[in-house]
Amino acid sequence: MQTYKVDLSEQNEVYENEPQNINEQNIKVKRNIKAAGLFVASLFFVVVTVCVAVIGCNYIVNRNFRETFYNVSSLKVDNKIRIIQISDLHSCSFGKENYKLIDRVKKLKPDVILYTGDCFDSKDKSEEEIVSLCKELAPVAPSYYIYGNNEVERLYDIPLIQEELDKKYGYGDEREPQKLLEEKDLFEETLEKTGVEVLKNECDTITVGSTNIDVFGVLTSNPSSFWTYAGETFNDYAYKNTNNLKITAIHEPFVFEEYEYEFWGDVIVCGHTHGGTVRLPVLGPLYTHEGGLFPERNGDFVYGRYSVSGKPMIVSSGMESNNLLRINNQPELVIIDVNRF
Amino acid sequence: MYTSILKKLPVFVAVILLVAAVVIMYFRSKNVTRSEFIKFIKNAKYVRAWVFVVVFVMTTVFAIFNHIHSKQSVYAVVALNYSEASQAQNSNGTRYNMAEITCDEVIKKAIDMGAFEGVTVSDLKKCLAVYPYVQGDVRDESEYHISTEFIVEYYASKDTQHLDAENVIKLITSAYKEYYIEKYTDNFSLSTDGKKPDFDSMEYMDIVTYFEKETSSILNYLYSMAQKSPSFVTANNASFNSIAGKVFQFKETQIDQNLRSLIMQNGIVRDSTGYVDRLSYQNKNTDFDRRKNAISFDLCNQAIAMYSEEMTRVVLVPTWDEVGKYYMGRTKVGIDELSVKATDFSNRVASYEKEIMYNNLIIDKMNGSDAGYEKNQSADDLVESIYESIRNFEKEAISAGREYSNHRMNQCIAVSMSGNSLFGELKTILLFAMFAYVSVILFTISRKFPKRV
């Protein structure tokens, strides 16, 4: 049997020191965990503070609207024409019964007022507020209302896409697009009583000073149904009375993304996109339902001024003010001045 | 200029903070040796939670002020695009004055356009500054520079801080463009009346005269534009001469041949007696002038016959040219003057006789007029359609003129806006945060230096 001599004194010293090292290590680990926790907590605090501050500030800012002025040049006008576009209000109100909005629109003295859809929500909320707004503004200038997807959802039983429309109004040669346009709803009748004209794939001509203006409002703004249901009237509008100033009002701008056409109008106004809801510095609009993330990078029309067949197209970011996630994107009232220079 | 100074002010404050920290450190480091100083710097803790919190709070406060400040200032560059601008001239050759960009008239216009409330012209004027984009140096000939680009700067004051800075500058530049074009560029108003006359109360032959006057006015405008640029073609492939050709053709066929002949052949008249009386009175006056001119013609002839032969020859008169050289010039003698006058009188007599004969022809037709309702109706329809056509020609002419002007002036004035972008703001904030962090860390380190050796 082999025996080993062990120097226990040394070992004992090691064993005696071990608990101390373990303690130190534990303390170090605890300290590191504490530091990491503190760092994470501070980071969380900073992130939460920034988020709350950004959302809070934007909520306060969004309670008011800003005015965005655009200048458009056309040789067809003799005198300056001012168009005011109210879009995507979603039953929101600026002041009691929209008195702030009404006051500003009256002071800005428009020649034409265009409501480019989604002025009330498809769910729950009533359309009384928008009717009262229309009633107040109708005496100010000739006013036109174009339905957006929310109005269509509320007033029609079906979405206005080719497939669904064809089921109701026939296929091929038997199709009767006129029937869709002739259908009158209660909202339209109410609006017309206030003096606002609802344009459903049709054109109306007015004279401001010595300038004749054709306003065309699109109902079937979905690219699938646009040409089938609005094509004929649109071509009439585009190629007759070519000396008149042509204003095309449409809720969704997707038709212009989908089709190339030689003349869409001298001025085109749209809404729907809410300017991408969140607008990030440098990166631009964050998201739209149709375009997904960073839609402008895919060539989508999201917000501001674009050129369509060499003519200006204005996409409004809308006036919805109760969306908490609407960041760096204040509700806007669009004012378009059409000059001859 | 003020805006750019103010823009840099917050960063300037951060730099002062840093300099103060360095100075304090310098004074405290006098109590330590170089190696100790390096040891202090090396061993210092750079990651401290409280430092981050302090820097974060400082940066947040700074960011809020910076954002509020940046929202209140913006500038735009106004560029003159026409050829005369390089000679410091307006497009009509008068002297260019950059101060007009912020003149009272322009500011008033901008206030009206934007419906700015609670702001006067003088309030807004105080917030605006204009200066050339590139400043030359008048002391050195090689540095002379005629600027065609100008910066318009806006910085909100207490009275105007409720306005959106970007909108203010946008409307100021837009109002200036409008003002400039009204004042210095081509005038597109024709000498036509514009208002529709009451044709029902006018005699048909007077309507013909009115139409002739209107078409002549359009033709004069088109010919004058064609003289300026005979080769200009509009987007619809029309030139001034081609439009003038159409108008001339229309005048000849529709007004002279159709309307006039319809009226004359059928003796269409609203008030036959009144109109015939008026023409007879006109004829009397014209005949008086005719006779006066005929007598003057005879007198001239008699005077010419009385001249002696010597006086009819050419006379040479000594004279000198532009460079002062003498030469013998041929000059008219009295008989030339008389013969010119005699021809003139003779022409006038012929013209008066033609007018009288024409009026007599109308009187003959109108006297025995039995044109019924139908004839009158067809004349009225023709009058309406001619009026509409003339208005369309007028629009076409003006539109071509404007297109030419836009083409020549290249939109005259271009404006580009330059605000404070959010990205720019973030850059400034990041810079501030960096300065703030370095300053606080330096303060912390310097606190550890012994006060006395």
Side-chain angles (χ1 to χ4, degrees):
Chain A
M1 205 178 167
Q2 218 173 347
T3 54
Y4 294 95
K5 271 190 182 174
V6 180
D7 188 357
L8 285 172
S9 62
E10 208 175 282
Q11 208 175 13
N12 282 344
E13 206 179 295
V14 172
Y15 284 134
E16 273 167 18
N17 286 341
E18 208 171 44
Q20 212 176 338
N21 284 344
I22 289 168
N23 276 346
E24 266 177 22
Q25 269 176 357
N26 281 345
I27 290 164
K28 253 187 182 177
V29 168
K30 272 182 189 171
R31 229 185 250 165
N32 284 345
I33 291 170
K34 203 178 165 187
L38 204 70
F39 179 74
V40 170
S42 333
L43 199 71
F44 181 73
F45 164 74
V46 169
V47 170
V48 169
T49 314
V50 169
C51 285
V52 169
V54 167
I55 292 174
C57 286
N58 272 284
Y59 180 72
I60 295 164
V61 168
N62 289 354
R63 281 163 66 189
N64 270 315
F65 61 88
R66 72 192 155 96
E67 290 157 13
T68 310
F69 289 85
Y70 291 97
N71 259 320
V72 169
S73 145
S74 173
L75 290 169
K76 292 179 181 177
V77 298
D78 291 328
N79 40 318
K80 190 166 74 186
I81 309 283
R82 175 163 279 186
I83 305 162
I84 282 192
Q85 183 197 8
I86 296 170
S87 190
D88 298 83
L89 200 56
H90 287 274
S91 306
C92 294
S93 181
F94 295 94
K96 201 183 173 194
E97 291 179 343
N98 269 316
Y99 81 90
K100 283 183 191 169
L101 180 59
I102 293 165
D103 183 52
R104 278 311 287 165
V105 171
K106 280 182 181 171
K107 281 182 178 149
L108 286 163
K109 295 176 191 154
D111 296 303
V112 184
I113 300 173
L114 299 172
Y115 300 87
T116 48
D118 282 6
C119 287
F120 62 81
D121 252 3
S122 60
K123 295 158 207 155
D124 308 320
K125 292 176 184 171
S126 81
E127 59 262 13
E128 265 171 34
E129 215 147 297
I130 183 67
V131 172
S132 115
L133 176 71
C134 289
K135 202 174 179 180
E136 284 290 328
L137 293 181
V140 178
S143 310
Y144 297 98
Y145 197 104
I146 289 94
Y147 285 173
N149 53 306
N150 274 270
E151 282 90 353
V152 166
E153 218 171 290
R154 173 91 73 94
L155 306 168
Y156 293 80
D157 304 330
I158 49 166
L160 302 184
I161 54 169
Q162 171 102 35
E163 204 182 326
E164 295 291 331
L165 286 168
D166 282 355
K167 279 182 200 165
K168 201 171 174 186
Y169 302 102
Y171 297 88
D173 293 341
E174 286 172 7
R175 188 183 290 122
E176 293 173 300
Q178 208 50 42
K179 269 194 174 175
L180 165 73
L181 312 178
E182 279 165 5
E183 276 178 24
K184 277 218 169 190
D185 52 77
L186 193 65
F187 181 61
E188 186 182 346
E189 281 168 11
T190 319
L191 280 185
E192 281 179 358
K193 273 179 203 162
T194 65
V196 175
E197 195 166 337
V198 179
L199 293 177
K200 298 196 300 193
N201 293 351
E202 60 190 328
C203 166
D204 189 51
T205 305
I206 48 165
T207 306
V208 177
S210 53
T211 308
N212 290 330
I213 304 173
D214 285 350
V215 184
F216 188 84
V218 181
L219 172 68
T220 48
S221 55
N222 190 287
S224 69
S225 57
F226 177 78
W227 287 114
T228 330
Y229 285 84
E232 204 181 321
T233 47
F234 183 80
N235 279 330
D236 275 355
Y237 149 80
Y239 296 108
K240 279 182 186 169
N241 303 319
T242 46
N243 284 334
N244 294 2
L245 178 76
K246 309 272 182 185
I247 303 171
T248 310
I250 182 166
H251 179 64
E252 298 165 359
F254 309 128
V255 173
F256 312 110
E257 290 165 10
E258 196 85 10
Y259 302 111
E260 274 190 16
Y261 197 57
E262 57 181 0
F263 183 76
W264 286 111
D266 295 306
V267 186
I268 303 141
V269 288
C270 340
H272 183 71
T273 56
H274 294 206
T277 313
V278 177
R279 295 185 61 78
L280 297 173
V282 186
L283 299 170
L286 182 69
Y287 178 80
T288 58
H289 287 294
E290 293 78 10
L293 280 171
F294 302 108
E296 242 176 13
R297 295 189 170 194
N298 310 325
D300 289 2
F301 300 131
V302 185
Y303 170 72
R305 185 183 179 136
Y306 299 90
S307 179
V308 175
S309 312
K311 301 288 177 188
M313 178 176 79
I314 313 292
V315 184
S316 164
S317 69
M319 300 196 79
E320 185 194 31
S321 60
N322 56 8
N323 185 352
L324 272 180
L325 290 176
R326 199 177 164 118
I327 289 161
N328 191 26
N329 182 13
Q330 201 181 350
E332 68 166 359
L333 178 71
V334 172
I335 301 126
I336 306 164
D337 286 329
V338 189
N339 291 299
R340 68 171 171 80
F341 45 82
Chain B
M1 199 190 292
Y2 308 111
T3 317
S4 53
I5 292 169
L6 279 165
K7 250 188 226 169
K8 286 164 192 161
L9 193 68
V11 176
F12 185 64
V13 169
V15 172
I16 287 177
L17 219 67
L18 181 67
V19 170
V22 170
V23 168
I24 289 168
M25 190 173 210
Y26 171 74
F27 281 114
R28 288 200 174 181
S29 67
K30 276 183 178 173
N31 302 329
V32 290
T33 59
R34 193 187 165 93
S35 56
E36 277 174 336
F37 178 81
I38 293 165
K39 209 176 165 187
F40 269 120
I41 296 287
K42 272 186 179 173
N43 294 338
K45 267 191 172 183
Y46 288 98
V47 184
R48 286 167 185 271
W50 72 268
V51 171
F52 283 125
V53 171
V54 168
V55 170
F56 176 69
V57 171
M58 279 169 75
T59 310
T60 310
V61 173
F62 167 78
I64 292 166
F65 278 106
N66 186 56
H67 184 68
I68 293 168
H69 161 262
S70 71
K71 280 272 172 198
Q72 291 182 336
S73 70
V74 70
Y75 70 94
V77 180
V78 173
L80 311 176
N81 286 341
Y82 52 91
S83 56
E84 293 86 352
S86 60
Q87 294 162 337
Q89 286 178 348
N90 293 310
S91 62
N92 64 357
T94 54
R95 196 178 162 199
Y96 181 79
N97 181 4
M98 74 170 182
E100 282 185 349
I101 298 175
T102 53
C103 72
D104 288 359
E105 209 175 318
V106 169
I107 295 175
K108 174 86 181 54
K109 218 173 230 195
I111 290 175
D112 290 344
M113 280 161 81
F116 296 147
E117 292 167 79
V119 179
T120 62
V121 172
S122 62
D123 287 342
L124 204 52
K125 200 168 189 172
K126 280 179 208 158
C127 308
L128 293 159
V130 185
Y131 51 92
Y133 190 68
V134 180
Q135 299 263 23
D137 188 353
V138 285
R139 288 165 299 183
D140 183 1
E141 204 174 323
S142 63
E143 293 291 317
Y144 284 177
H145 182 78
I146 296 174
S147 189
T148 56
E149 289 177 310
F150 302 90
I151 291 180
V152 191
E153 213 170 60
Y154 169 79
Y155 188 80
S157 69
K158 206 175 155 191
D159 300 318
T160 60
Q161 60 188 359
H162 61 285
L163 304 176
D164 184 312
E166 210 177 302
N167 279 349
V168 171
I169 209 86
K170 213 184 258 183
L171 291 170
I172 288 283
T173 50
S174 173
Y176 174 62
K177 203 170 170 182
E178 209 175 299
Y179 166 87
Y180 186 91
I181 283 168
E182 273 170 19
K183 205 168 172 188
Y184 299 115
T185 62
D186 298 321
N187 180 18
F188 293 106
S189 57
L190 299 185
S191 52
T192 53
D193 193 3
K195 278 183 188 168
K196 189 178 180 180
D198 182 14
F199 290 128
D200 293 342
S201 63
M202 281 170 82
E203 271 306 338
Y204 288 102
M205 288 308 286
D206 292 339
I207 294 173
V208 173
T209 315
Y210 167 79
F211 284 157
E212 279 177 340
K213 212 180 87 191
E214 294 280 290
T215 44
S216 301
S217 158
I218 296 170
L219 281 171
N220 288 343
Y221 171 77
L222 287 166
Y223 289 143
S224 71
M225 292 303 282
Q227 252 184 352
K228 281 185 192 170
S229 175
S231 58
F232 176 75
V233 178
T234 66
N236 299 329
N237 283 329
S239 68
F240 290 116
N241 278 324
S242 70
I243 303 170
K246 274 198 294 186
V247 177
F248 184 77
Q249 189 75 10
F250 178 82
K251 188 184 172 193
E252 292 285 300
T253 53
Q254 289 296 308
I255 302 172
D256 282 346
Q257 289 174 20
N258 281 0
L259 185 63
R260 193 192 297 273
S261 61
L262 178 77
I263 295 165
M264 293 283 281
Q265 274 174 12
N266 299 296
I268 300 170
V269 65
R270 292 194 203 278
D271 172 18
S272 166
T273 325
Y275 189 59
V276 166
D277 284 353
R278 205 173 88 196
L279 287 183
S280 304
Y281 177 70
Q282 256 181 29
N283 271 359
K284 266 185 193 171
N285 282 342
T286 317
D287 190 49
F288 177 76
D289 289 338
R290 184 194 65 81
R291 278 188 283 156
K292 211 165 71 179
N293 278 281
I295 292 165
S296 301
F297 172 70
D298 289 343
L299 276 173
C300 284
N301 279 345
Q302 280 171 24
I304 290 165
M306 283 162 75
Y307 265 63
S308 60
E309 198 187 329
E310 286 76 23
M311 284 186 78
T312 61
R313 289 174 190 157
V314 172
V315 176
L316 292 172
V317 178
T319 186
W320 58 91
D321 62 13
E322 281 174 349
V323 288
K325 267 194 172 183
Y326 280 96
Y327 70 99
M328 297 304 284
R330 288 160 64 96
T331 189
K332 278 181 180 178
V333 288
I335 196 148
D336 287 336
E337 183 68 19
L338 283 170
S339 65
V340 168
K341 275 189 174 175
T343 315
D344 187 38
F345 287 130
S346 162
N347 285 340
R348 280 194 215 173
V349 168
S351 157
Y352 288 134
E353 278 175 358
K354 191 182 166 191
E355 203 179 313
I356 291 166
M357 278 170 72
Y358 179 68
N359 280 352
N360 282 337
L361 181 71
I362 298 172
I363 289 168
D364 283 349
K365 293 280 180 190
M366 301 301 170
N367 263 336
S369 167
D370 57 346
Y373 172 77
E374 271 180 34
K375 298 280 180 196
N376 278 16
Q377 191 57 44
S378 61
D380 284 340
D381 292 346
L382 195 57
V383 164
E384 276 304 317
S385 82
I386 289 174
Y387 178 77
E388 282 307 314
S389 305
I390 289 174
R391 288 284 83 87
N392 286 338
F393 281 130
E394 188 183 319
K395 273 190 179 173
E396 196 178 343
I398 290 174
S399 165
R402 283 175 186 169
E403 206 173 320
Y404 164 70
S405 180
N406 273 15
H407 157 81
R408 192 176 71 87
M409 303 278 293
N410 190 19
Q411 294 288 320
C412 180
I413 292 169
V415 178
S416 55
M417 301 285 302
S418 297
N420 298 294
S421 66
L422 209 61
F423 186 63
E425 268 184 54
L426 282 176
K427 239 169 49 182
T428 318
I429 290 166
L430 212 70
L431 200 68
F432 180 88
M434 222 168 69
F435 275 125
Y437 172 76
V438 174
S439 309
V440 175
I441 282 291
L442 287 183
F443 271 124
T444 321
I445 295 169
S446 61
R447 272 177 62 208
K448 296 208 167 167
F449 288 159
K451 285 189 180 168
R452 274 180 199 165
V453 184

